[in-house]
Amino acid sequence: MRIGMAINYSGGFKETVAELADYEKAGLDIVFVAEAYSFDAVSQMGYIAAKTERLQIASGILPIYSRTPTLLAMTAAGLDFVSDGRFTLGIGASGPQVIEGFHGVPYTAPLARTREVIEICRQVWRRERVEHQGRHYQVPLPPGQGTGLGKALKIINHPVRPRIPIVVAAIGPKNVELAAELAEGWEPIFYVPEKAGDVWGEALAAGKAARDPELGELDVIAQASLAIGDDVSGLLEFGRPMAALYIGGMGAKGKNFYNDLARRYGYEKEAEEIQDLYLAGKKDEAAAKVPTELLEKQSLIGSEGFVRDRVQAFKESGVTTLNVAPLGRTHEERVRLIEQIKEIAG
């Protein structure tokens, strides 16, 4: 089982990257860099590539709407080049609030667009002349559109690898099925091992049935806060505001994917209350309604024995990469947590 960690995009980036060398020595396998309506992730990942040697680097995630498919492919090839083949392209649809509200692009057909993006990216990396006449992307532009001067081109450079790993962030059944069919990896959010089979098992099975064997086994990437000790249970509370933000505030009524997931987990009443409170501006009250069980089951916070049991539960549910957030008070404590979870995960 690989151990990953996400880089915070809200501040202190250079200081955090300076500490990555210690995490790398402690056994960290992969680092994920988010891109919301923040600084772009690409410049930061290039910086990380220059400051590390072994660490795998992944976008977690690049939205499919804010770049053309060929630019996504060029970007991935460039990052793979400067990192000597250590890059993973994490992509996802994000949500309408960000895509339409910040990028000014219609949030349409996320499933079909993701499929076409993956197809085009792999054409680019194989150095084929890019020709794709899909429903959502036409490359080159067909007759009657544009100037008529476009022609099929292939990337000038030779990519380090003809197939850069792709991870799709997805929680809806159809998107999860697509990830299991087409991508090297799948990254859900709020992953609860005991409920994952009921919520996603059918979609994963359908996707894997159509999967090309050359893709290998699906890498399942689960996120979990990490703290090990006999007096750390109070740290669960740090997860409440983010859970409330996603379940309550990431979308309007009936258009919140994370709220839908909480309902599919069996928290229908709580999901309704969290959303009503959050949308009414009562963020603290919304956070208080987040079920403690949900926070516990998706985290690695507790005694060493508890964490070992939870890691085994993640493994048995199919998780192959644990993307942890170490909750130590100091850098040294966080490095020690990476060492501990690396040993526990085996």
Side-chain angles (χ1 to χ4, degrees):
M1 179 180 275
R2 292 192 306 173
I3 301 300
M5 187 176 75
I7 289 287
N8 192 327
Y9 54 74
S10 62
F13 176 77
K14 288 185 179 179
E15 293 79 5
T16 302
V17 173
E19 297 172 345
L20 271 180
D22 294 332
Y23 291 117
E24 193 172 28
K25 291 174 185 175
L28 188 70
D29 295 298
I30 185 168
V31 63
F32 292 82
V33 182
E35 184 176 276
Y37 41 102
S38 52
F39 289 145
D40 79 289
V42 176
S43 57
Q44 297 178 70
M45 288 186 287
Y47 185 82
I48 291 171
K51 297 291 185 178
T52 55
E53 297 176 359
R54 176 192 57 82
L55 202 60
Q56 299 287 309
I57 303 164
S59 52
I61 58 167
L62 296 183
I64 60 170
Y65 292 93
S66 53
R67 296 171 176 87
T68 66
T70 42
L71 179 56
L72 278 169
M74 292 164 61
T75 298
L79 286 167
D80 209 43
F81 172 69
V82 298
S83 66
D84 295 320
R86 292 185 284 137
F87 181 66
T88 292
L89 176 61
I91 58 174
S94 185
Q97 283 188 317
V98 173
I99 299 306
E100 296 185 351
F102 191 69
H103 293 290
V105 177
Y107 189 86
T108 58
L111 188 69
R113 287 181 183 276
T114 301
R115 180 178 291 274
E116 291 189 38
V117 164
I118 292 173
E119 292 174 357
I120 293 169
C121 281
R122 288 179 175 152
Q123 271 194 337
V124 172
W125 299 332
R126 292 192 299 264
R127 294 199 77 237
E128 298 173 0
R129 293 190 183 278
V130 180
E131 296 183 280
H132 179 90
Q133 296 302 316
R135 181 175 180 183
H136 302 286
Y137 301 103
Q138 296 84 43
V139 187
L141 280 176
Q145 295 189 35
T147 64
L149 299 176
K151 65 177 183 178
L153 300 171
K154 63 181 178 181
I155 189 170
I156 294 172
N157 310 85
H158 289 255
V160 175
R161 292 180 289 177
R163 198 185 76 222
I164 295 168
I166 292 175
V167 168
V168 174
I171 54 176
K174 289 298 182 182
N175 275 327
V176 171
E177 182 179 336
L178 180 143
E181 176 191 348
L182 293 179
E184 280 82 2
W186 165 54
E187 185 176 10
I189 194 172
F190 301 137
Y191 186 93
V192 175
E194 290 81 1
K195 297 178 183 286
D198 292 337
V199 172
W200 291 306
E202 189 175 328
L204 288 169
K208 289 178 180 179
R211 185 177 181 82
D212 185 340
E214 288 191 7
L215 290 173
E217 292 297 316
L218 182 69
D219 182 21
V220 179
I221 303 163
Q223 304 168 16
S225 296
L226 172 67
I228 301 174
D230 295 325
D231 58 349
V232 297
S233 60
L235 294 176
L236 281 171
E237 295 302 306
F238 286 108
R240 286 189 183 278
M242 190 184 82
L245 166 64
Y246 277 78
I247 296 170
M250 286 290 193
K253 281 273 191 177
K255 296 291 184 180
N256 183 322
F257 311 130
Y258 313 101
N259 191 277
D260 292 343
L261 176 59
R263 293 171 186 271
R264 285 154 59 201
Y265 274 160
Y267 302 114
E268 293 92 348
K269 178 175 177 290
E270 294 90 340
E272 181 81 14
E273 292 174 338
I274 293 166
Q275 189 173 51
D276 286 344
L277 288 166
Y278 204 96
L279 294 179
K282 300 177 180 178
K283 297 180 181 179
D284 292 340
E285 292 92 332
K289 292 289 185 179
V290 175
T292 300
E293 180 189 55
L294 176 61
L295 297 174
E296 289 175 342
K297 294 293 187 181
Q298 68 178 7
S299 301
L300 297 170
I301 296 177
S303 67
E304 182 175 332
F306 173 82
V307 171
R308 285 186 182 275
D309 288 344
R310 294 308 299 154
V311 168
Q312 189 59 34
F314 277 95
K315 280 185 178 180
E316 290 176 357
S317 73
V319 171
T320 49
T321 297
L322 274 175
N323 192 15
V324 300
L327 300 179
R329 290 167 294 181
T330 65
H331 172 60
E332 289 72 24
E333 287 185 8
R334 293 188 288 273
V335 170
R336 176 59 184 151
L337 283 169
I338 294 297
E339 291 175 339
Q340 287 177 284
I341 197 62
K342 183 68 176 178
E343 183 276 324
I344 290 170

